Amino acid sequence: MRNALLINGTQRSGSEDGWIPVFDPATEDQIAEVADGTSKDALAACDAAQAAQVAWAKRPPRERSEILRTCWSLMLANAEELAALIVREHGKPLVDARGEISYAAEFFRWNAEETVRIRGEIGVAPSGTNRIIVHHPPVGVVAMITPWNFPAAMITRKLAPALGAGNGVVIKPPKETPLTALRIGELLLEAGVPDGLVNVVPTSTSGAWFDAVVDHPAVRMVSFTGSTEVGRVLLRRAADRVLKTVMELGGNAPFIVFNDADLDAAVQGAMIAKMRHSAETCTAANRFYVEHGVADEFAEMLTAAMGAVKVGNGFDEGVTCGPMINAGAVSDIDALVRGAVDAGAEVRLGGSPSNGKGFFYPATVLSNVRHDSPIAHAEIFGPVAPVIPFTDHDDMIRQANDTEMGLTGYVYTRDLAKGLRTSEQIQAGMIGLNRGAVSDPAAPFGGMKQSGLGREGSSEGIYEFCETQYIATDW
Ligand code: SIN
């Protein structure tokens, strides 16, 4: 199957007629090819977005809103097809892929509602000499660079508010999972999004693509989800043109369980926080700090729950964890597990990659992990749960915050006051207090420290795609 680029509302091959192979990580088989976008294609996409954006920004908010709402209903109407595409190119279990589609679609519905509520302000200058009028025009053209772990939702979380605010868009989906992105692009056209407003240009040469786009005069913003390492590079380059940026970067979430926690609920929450979407999420619980009194019991219960995880092809009945995205991911996970074991951790479950076809790693539990093991300081991005016992609260908080990342944290206790106090002590943008999931289109998604800049979702998200203009006037 060959898939074209989407530029200016038409499907076309790349200007150099190159093709990128797409693989099924469960079988390692090539399943498709997508056109390889060049810098020339990326610039053509920026031109198209620039031309379409002017008229789009002038359309009444209600019209933009209605089109976003149609995008929501079309995604849901095509949910089974989209979910199957995600399983094929990403590998996650079908149930997770279906969940991703409804999560992804919801960004359109939520932002359809936000589009008609972009607010301004009017006030009187303290001196009384004039009025101060504040309003929020769109930024112009936004470059979006999205990751492979949520082939649909990480696009719509950016795209829906950007369109609602009146912007044009150029998307570089990941080369691992471009098929879902291209299909979403087609559905947008069907929903009434004007030709050229949204362009989808996969590429095998990300650096050249980004260099071209950053220097296009209409591009005024970069919205990126991916690793902190790549985010830093993009930030430096975006600085050349002082572009607005939103960065959703890496995580290293502590999951804290106190002696008084409801352990059944904590294990259930741990399984969600660790394992949703094959454990390949930046919100994933990365380190389990468990108070001494329940550390053994929690590790035992977690081991039983992880032992029930069925790893396999995402299409197979009962599978709850699919393959990792590629061979490199499997060897990175394995190196972290080896490092923890060398530092004295006990392997309670799993612990080494499976042989044979597909990039599988088994559900793994490590207990008595040392805080100074590399695994406590790197984003695992795989089905491995390291359990670190603690006795002293302040020491545990120091360890939980001993990272440059600050995306998510989780706290389990029956004492709500202690839970809230502890939540406030954790340096992270999102906390699950007695909950294993934080992601919600209605909530501000984003990190502190090197986990990112800006927020996606909630009522804040749409303003990230707006400028602020103030008019001083005296009538
Ligand atoms: C991510 O892992 O990048 C996003 C996770 C989410 O939205 O839940």
Side-chain angles (χ1 to χ4, degrees):
M1 181 172 72
R2 281 195 149 182
N3 296 264
L5 310 173
L6 181 65
I7 299 177
N8 206 14
T10 54
Q11 293 174 321
R12 48 161 115 156
S13 51
S15 61
E16 285 172 16
D17 201 29
W19 296 87
I20 310 171
V22 182
F23 297 94
D24 176 346
T27 60
E28 301 181 37
D29 292 337
Q30 185 177 325
I31 53 171
E33 283 183 318
V34 295
D36 192 0
T38 61
S39 309
K40 200 169 156 198
D41 299 316
L43 290 175
C46 294
D47 289 343
Q50 178 178 22
Q53 188 266 333
V54 178
W56 177 248
K58 287 189 186 138
R59 288 186 56 178
R62 178 60 73 200
E63 279 183 30
R64 298 201 301 265
S65 166
E66 295 296 346
I67 290 175
L68 291 190
R69 209 177 155 90
T70 309
C71 293
W72 166 70
S73 53
L74 269 182
M75 272 194 85
L76 294 185
N78 291 276
E80 276 307 295
E81 180 210 342
L82 289 166
L85 261 187
I86 290 181
V87 179
R88 291 190 78 212
E89 61 180 351
H90 174 278
K92 66 179 68 177
L94 188 55
V95 59
D96 282 343
R98 288 182 176 137
E100 179 177 346
I101 292 305
S102 67
Y103 175 47
E106 191 56 31
F107 286 104
F108 283 118
R109 180 162 67 163
W110 173 264
N111 284 287
E113 289 154 359
E114 292 306 294
T115 295
V116 288
R117 294 193 176 90
I118 297 174
R119 293 185 190 286
E121 244 177 61
I122 180 161
V124 179
S127 60
T129 51
N130 58 285
R131 299 292 198 282
I132 293 170
I133 301 173
V134 181
H135 73 123
H136 297 287
V139 295
V141 175
V142 184
M144 297 180 178
I145 296 149
T146 61
W148 48 259
N149 63 339
F150 284 81
M154 294 306 98
I155 291 178
T156 59
R157 193 162 74 187
K158 299 175 187 308
L159 184 57
L163 295 180
N167 296 285
V169 173
V170 178
I171 303 171
K172 185 190 87 56
K175 64 179 186 317
E176 293 83 354
T177 61
L179 305 177
T180 310
L182 289 163
R183 183 69 187 114
I184 290 174
E186 286 173 2
L187 290 176
L188 296 183
L189 293 176
E190 208 180 306
V193 171
D195 287 356
L197 193 67
V198 177
N199 304 275
V200 186
V201 187
T203 184
S204 64
T205 51
S206 307
W209 187 104
F210 190 65
D211 275 338
V213 166
V214 161
D215 287 334
H216 190 286
V219 172
R220 289 284 160 211
M221 177 170 174
V222 176
S223 177
F224 170 69
T225 296
S227 71
T228 298
E229 199 186 350
V230 174
R232 272 191 220 105
V233 174
L234 301 188
L235 276 168
R236 280 191 202 106
R237 187 66 181 85
D240 291 343
R241 287 195 56 245
V242 196
L243 298 183
K244 206 168 189 292
T245 58
V246 168
M247 296 274 141
E248 298 296 351
L249 308 178
N252 180 3
F255 188 106
I256 297 159
V257 183
F258 286 105
N259 281 340
D260 65 355
D262 173 340
L263 283 196
D264 288 323
V267 170
Q268 208 180 20
M271 291 304 292
I272 296 168
K274 178 76 251 179
M275 294 302 297
R276 60 190 275 274
H277 301 271
S278 302
E280 294 173 308
T281 67
C282 55
T283 51
N286 213 52
R287 307 164 280 155
F288 292 83
Y289 293 98
V290 187
E291 202 166 4
H292 219 265
V294 294
D296 267 347
E297 197 182 346
F298 177 83
E300 208 174 297
M301 289 168 72
L302 184 64
T303 304
M306 290 285 273
V309 167
K310 188 171 167 197
V311 177
N313 188 313
F315 283 115
D316 290 349
E317 191 63 33
V319 163
T320 48
C321 181
M324 302 295 97
I325 193 70
N326 53 35
V330 172
S331 57
D332 289 351
I333 295 164
D334 201 44
L336 289 172
V337 170
R338 299 274 75 76
V341 172
D342 291 347
E346 181 196 337
V347 180
R348 294 225 180 187
L349 182 75
S352 40
S354 0
N355 295 318
K357 280 265 180 202
F359 307 122
F360 295 103
Y361 202 89
T364 295
V365 179
L366 305 174
S367 59
N368 289 319
V369 174
R370 289 168 53 107
H371 170 71
D372 56 9
S373 294
I375 201 163
H377 299 273
E379 191 172 23
I380 304 170
F381 239 66
V384 179
V387 180
I388 308 174
F390 75 89
T391 42
D392 180 72
H393 181 98
D394 292 345
D395 208 33
M396 175 275 291
I397 292 291
R398 189 189 53 72
Q399 292 187 358
N401 288 332
D402 181 21
T403 166
E404 277 297 302
M405 301 304 147
L407 190 63
T408 326
Y410 302 89
V411 180
Y412 272 80
T413 170
R414 282 195 171 92
D415 177 343
L416 189 57
K418 179 163 74 178
L420 288 168
R421 262 195 322 271
T422 306
S423 300
E424 287 184 357
Q425 287 176 312
I426 298 172
Q427 297 160 348
M430 298 176 284
I431 305 290
L433 174 53
N434 295 323
R435 269 192 68 78
V438 293
S439 305
D440 187 329
F445 189 104
M448 296 182 182
K449 302 190 324 194
Q450 292 198 36
S451 283
L453 297 169
R455 292 295 181 269
E456 292 183 335
S458 77
S459 49
E460 282 182 47
I462 202 160
Y463 291 98
E464 298 281 2
F465 294 95
C466 296
E467 290 285 4
T468 294
Q469 186 182 54
Y470 132 67
I471 301 168
T473 188
D474 177 12
W475 61 73

